[in-house]
mmCIF file of all heavy atoms in Angstrom:
data_model
loop_
_atom_site.group_PDB
_atom_site.id
_atom_site.type_symbol
_atom_site.label_atom_id
_atom_site.label_comp_id
_atom_site.label_asym_id
_atom_site.label_seq_id
_atom_site.Cartn_x
_atom_site.Cartn_y
_atom_site.Cartn_z
ATOM 1 N N TYR A 287 206.951 -0.669 -100.624
ATOM 2 C CA TYR A 287 207.641 -1.180 -99.467
ATOM 3 C C TYR A 287 206.568 -1.369 -98.349
ATOM 4 O O TYR A 287 205.501 -0.735 -98.359
ATOM 5 C CB TYR A 287 208.820 -0.306 -99.092
ATOM 6 C CG TYR A 287 208.267 1.056 -98.687
ATOM 7 C CD1 TYR A 287 207.954 1.341 -97.257
ATOM 8 C CD2 TYR A 287 208.076 2.114 -99.636
ATOM 9 C CE1 TYR A 287 207.620 2.654 -96.917
ATOM 10 C CE2 TYR A 287 207.647 3.347 -99.183
ATOM 11 C CZ TYR A 287 207.340 3.574 -97.883
ATOM 12 O OH TYR A 287 206.927 4.832 -97.492
ATOM 13 N N VAL A 324 207.965 -9.625 -81.959
ATOM 14 C CA VAL A 324 209.234 -10.088 -82.463
ATOM 15 C C VAL A 324 209.794 -11.195 -81.618
ATOM 16 O O VAL A 324 209.259 -11.378 -80.422
ATOM 17 C CB VAL A 324 210.280 -8.974 -82.692
ATOM 18 C CG1 VAL A 324 209.818 -7.885 -83.664
ATOM 19 C CG2 VAL A 324 210.645 -8.341 -81.354
ATOM 20 N N PRO A 329 220.659 -18.599 -80.342
ATOM 21 C CA PRO A 329 222.147 -18.750 -80.652
ATOM 22 C C PRO A 329 222.341 -18.921 -82.158
ATOM 23 O O PRO A 329 223.307 -18.348 -82.689
ATOM 24 C CB PRO A 329 222.583 -19.882 -79.914
ATOM 25 C CG PRO A 329 221.635 -19.994 -78.664
ATOM 26 C CD PRO A 329 220.368 -19.463 -79.162
ATOM 27 N N ILE A 331 220.593 -17.619 -84.661
ATOM 28 C CA ILE A 331 220.358 -16.359 -85.308
ATOM 29 C C ILE A 331 221.575 -15.361 -85.019
ATOM 30 O O ILE A 331 222.047 -14.764 -85.974
ATOM 31 C CB ILE A 331 219.078 -15.681 -84.784
ATOM 32 C CG1 ILE A 331 217.830 -16.377 -85.397
ATOM 33 C CG2 ILE A 331 218.947 -14.167 -85.117
ATOM 34 C CD1 ILE A 331 217.611 -16.123 -86.781
ATOM 35 N N GLU A 333 224.583 -16.378 -84.503
ATOM 36 C CA GLU A 333 225.618 -16.993 -85.303
ATOM 37 C C GLU A 333 225.501 -16.497 -86.836
ATOM 38 O O GLU A 333 226.471 -16.009 -87.316
ATOM 39 C CB GLU A 333 225.668 -18.413 -85.134
ATOM 40 C CG GLU A 333 226.686 -19.153 -86.042
ATOM 41 C CD GLU A 333 228.088 -18.686 -85.890
ATOM 42 O OE1 GLU A 333 228.489 -18.264 -84.877
ATOM 43 O OE2 GLU A 333 228.848 -18.623 -86.947
ATOM 44 N N PRO A 383 205.177 12.011 -79.864
ATOM 45 C CA PRO A 383 204.241 12.651 -80.808
ATOM 46 C C PRO A 383 204.768 12.678 -82.178
ATOM 47 O O PRO A 383 206.011 12.890 -82.433
ATOM 48 C CB PRO A 383 204.123 14.072 -80.220
ATOM 49 C CG PRO A 383 204.628 13.963 -78.859
ATOM 50 C CD PRO A 383 205.549 12.825 -78.756
ATOM 51 N N THR A 423 250.524 6.471 -92.914
ATOM 52 C CA THR A 423 249.592 5.784 -92.149
ATOM 53 C C THR A 423 248.353 5.526 -92.935
ATOM 54 O O THR A 423 247.979 6.242 -93.747
ATOM 55 C CB THR A 423 249.148 6.606 -90.846
ATOM 56 O OG1 THR A 423 248.467 7.859 -91.321
ATOM 57 C CG2 THR A 423 250.216 6.920 -89.931
ATOM 58 N N ILE A 434 224.335 -1.389 -79.838
ATOM 59 C CA ILE A 434 223.263 -1.684 -78.930
ATOM 60 C C ILE A 434 222.509 -0.432 -78.598
ATOM 61 O O ILE A 434 223.089 0.601 -78.186
ATOM 62 C CB ILE A 434 223.720 -2.406 -77.684
ATOM 63 C CG1 ILE A 434 224.515 -3.666 -78.041
ATOM 64 C CG2 ILE A 434 222.548 -2.669 -76.670
ATOM 65 C CD1 ILE A 434 225.089 -4.392 -76.761
ATOM 66 N N ALA A 484 224.922 -7.421 -98.973
ATOM 67 C CA ALA A 484 224.329 -8.198 -97.943
ATOM 68 C C ALA A 484 225.298 -8.489 -96.782
ATOM 69 O O ALA A 484 226.451 -8.700 -97.012
ATOM 70 C CB ALA A 484 223.927 -9.527 -98.575
ATOM 71 N N GLY A 485 224.757 -8.376 -95.585
ATOM 72 C CA GLY A 485 225.631 -8.701 -94.419
ATOM 73 C C GLY A 485 226.388 -7.493 -93.847
ATOM 74 O O GLY A 485 226.909 -7.555 -92.642
ATOM 75 N N VAL A 490 219.466 -7.774 -85.048
ATOM 76 C CA VAL A 490 218.852 -8.985 -84.320
ATOM 77 C C VAL A 490 218.185 -8.508 -83.059
ATOM 78 O O VAL A 490 218.583 -7.499 -82.441
ATOM 79 C CB VAL A 490 219.926 -9.952 -83.933
ATOM 80 C CG1 VAL A 490 220.593 -10.574 -85.175
ATOM 81 C CG2 VAL A 490 221.031 -9.463 -82.992
ATOM 82 N N ILE A 501 228.628 -9.116 -77.806
ATOM 83 C CA ILE A 501 229.859 -8.334 -77.449
ATOM 84 C C ILE A 501 230.974 -9.247 -76.956
ATOM 85 O O ILE A 501 232.129 -8.790 -76.929
ATOM 86 C CB ILE A 501 229.563 -7.250 -76.443
ATOM 87 C CG1 ILE A 501 228.980 -7.751 -75.146
ATOM 88 C CG2 ILE A 501 228.698 -6.204 -77.008
ATOM 89 C CD1 ILE A 501 228.508 -6.682 -74.219
ATOM 90 N N ASP A 507 234.969 -6.502 -82.989
ATOM 91 C CA ASP A 507 236.078 -5.607 -82.749
ATOM 92 C C ASP A 507 235.715 -4.405 -82.077
ATOM 93 O O ASP A 507 236.606 -3.633 -81.529
ATOM 94 C CB ASP A 507 236.709 -5.201 -84.100
ATOM 95 C CG ASP A 507 237.217 -6.466 -84.897
ATOM 96 O OD1 ASP A 507 238.233 -7.033 -84.603
ATOM 97 O OD2 ASP A 507 236.499 -6.876 -85.900
ATOM 98 N N TYR A 522 230.868 -2.395 -71.052
ATOM 99 C CA TYR A 522 232.310 -1.979 -71.108
ATOM 100 C C TYR A 522 233.240 -3.016 -70.508
ATOM 101 O O TYR A 522 234.294 -3.312 -71.122
ATOM 102 C CB TYR A 522 232.513 -0.689 -70.281
ATOM 103 C CG TYR A 522 233.595 0.267 -70.626
ATOM 104 C CD1 TYR A 522 233.732 1.537 -69.998
ATOM 105 C CD2 TYR A 522 234.627 -0.156 -71.401
ATOM 106 C CE1 TYR A 522 234.708 2.415 -70.403
ATOM 107 C CE2 TYR A 522 235.713 0.724 -71.639
ATOM 108 C CZ TYR A 522 235.784 1.979 -71.142
ATOM 109 O OH TYR A 522 236.792 2.843 -71.438
ATOM 110 N N MET A 534 230.579 4.593 -75.598
ATOM 111 C CA MET A 534 229.526 4.473 -74.575
ATOM 112 C C MET A 534 228.794 5.793 -74.473
ATOM 113 O O MET A 534 229.341 6.792 -74.051
ATOM 114 C CB MET A 534 230.226 4.215 -73.105
ATOM 115 C CG MET A 534 230.925 2.949 -73.084
ATOM 116 S SD MET A 534 229.788 1.582 -72.817
ATOM 117 C CE MET A 534 230.591 0.297 -73.694
ATOM 118 N N ILE A 544 220.515 29.161 -65.003
ATOM 119 C CA ILE A 544 219.807 30.433 -65.619
ATOM 120 C C ILE A 544 220.150 31.583 -64.667
ATOM 121 O O ILE A 544 219.777 31.544 -63.468
ATOM 122 C CB ILE A 544 218.303 30.135 -65.647
ATOM 123 C CG1 ILE A 544 218.068 28.847 -66.608
ATOM 124 C CG2 ILE A 544 217.596 31.411 -66.158
ATOM 125 C CD1 ILE A 544 216.569 28.414 -66.516
ATOM 126 N N ARG A 640 199.333 10.879 -63.114
ATOM 127 C CA ARG A 640 199.048 10.166 -64.350
ATOM 128 C C ARG A 640 197.889 10.886 -64.982
ATOM 129 O O ARG A 640 196.950 11.376 -64.308
ATOM 130 C CB ARG A 640 198.698 8.719 -64.001
ATOM 131 C CG ARG A 640 198.507 7.910 -65.353
ATOM 132 C CD ARG A 640 198.265 6.454 -65.063
ATOM 133 N NE ARG A 640 198.083 5.813 -66.311
ATOM 134 C CZ ARG A 640 197.822 4.512 -66.423
ATOM 135 N NH1 ARG A 640 197.707 3.748 -65.443
ATOM 136 N NH2 ARG A 640 197.688 3.988 -67.683
ATOM 137 N N ALA A 663 217.211 15.188 -57.411
ATOM 138 C CA ALA A 663 218.336 16.036 -57.979
ATOM 139 C C ALA A 663 219.569 15.197 -58.234
ATOM 140 O O ALA A 663 220.458 15.728 -58.819
ATOM 141 C CB ALA A 663 218.606 17.096 -56.979
ATOM 142 N N ILE A 667 216.115 10.341 -63.990
ATOM 143 C CA ILE A 667 214.739 9.766 -63.822
ATOM 144 C C ILE A 667 214.198 9.365 -65.300
ATOM 145 O O ILE A 667 213.500 8.379 -65.304
ATOM 146 C CB ILE A 667 213.795 11.039 -63.361
ATOM 147 C CG1 ILE A 667 214.255 11.427 -62.018
ATOM 148 C CG2 ILE A 667 212.335 10.624 -63.412
ATOM 149 C CD1 ILE A 667 213.452 12.658 -61.426
ATOM 150 N N LEU A 703 228.471 37.749 -71.873
ATOM 151 C CA LEU A 703 229.299 36.921 -72.718
ATOM 152 C C LEU A 703 230.415 36.256 -71.992
ATOM 153 O O LEU A 703 230.742 35.083 -72.204
ATOM 154 C CB LEU A 703 229.845 37.900 -73.827
ATOM 155 C CG LEU A 703 230.289 37.308 -75.125
ATOM 156 C CD1 LEU A 703 229.204 36.494 -75.753
ATOM 157 C CD2 LEU A 703 230.821 38.384 -76.045
ATOM 158 N N MET A 709 231.479 29.710 -67.839
ATOM 159 C CA MET A 709 230.697 28.653 -67.325
ATOM 160 C C MET A 709 230.895 27.389 -68.159
ATOM 161 O O MET A 709 231.072 26.330 -67.620
ATOM 162 C CB MET A 709 229.200 28.952 -67.366
ATOM 163 C CG MET A 709 228.723 29.955 -66.204
ATOM 164 S SD MET A 709 228.891 29.287 -64.545
ATOM 165 C CE MET A 709 227.615 28.091 -64.538
ATOM 166 N N VAL A 728 224.372 16.786 -86.567
ATOM 167 C CA VAL A 728 225.411 15.787 -86.965
ATOM 168 C C VAL A 728 226.721 16.285 -87.105
ATOM 169 O O VAL A 728 227.788 15.658 -86.828
ATOM 170 C CB VAL A 728 224.929 14.967 -88.164
ATOM 171 C CG1 VAL A 728 224.953 15.899 -89.442
ATOM 172 C CG2 VAL A 728 225.818 13.793 -88.346
ATOM 173 N N ALA A 730 228.307 18.290 -85.167
ATOM 174 C CA ALA A 730 229.017 18.564 -83.789
ATOM 175 C C ALA A 730 229.202 17.286 -83.086
ATOM 176 O O ALA A 730 228.295 16.471 -83.008
ATOM 177 C CB ALA A 730 228.151 19.585 -83.074
#
Side-chain angles (χ1 to χ4, degrees):
Y287 61 94
V324 297
I331 287 286
E333 175 53 35
T423 59
I434 300 178
V490 299
I501 59 190
D507 301 287
Y522 203 167
M534 294 280 140
I544 299 169
R640 185 175 179 183
I667 298 176
L703 201 57
M709 287 295 290
V728 67

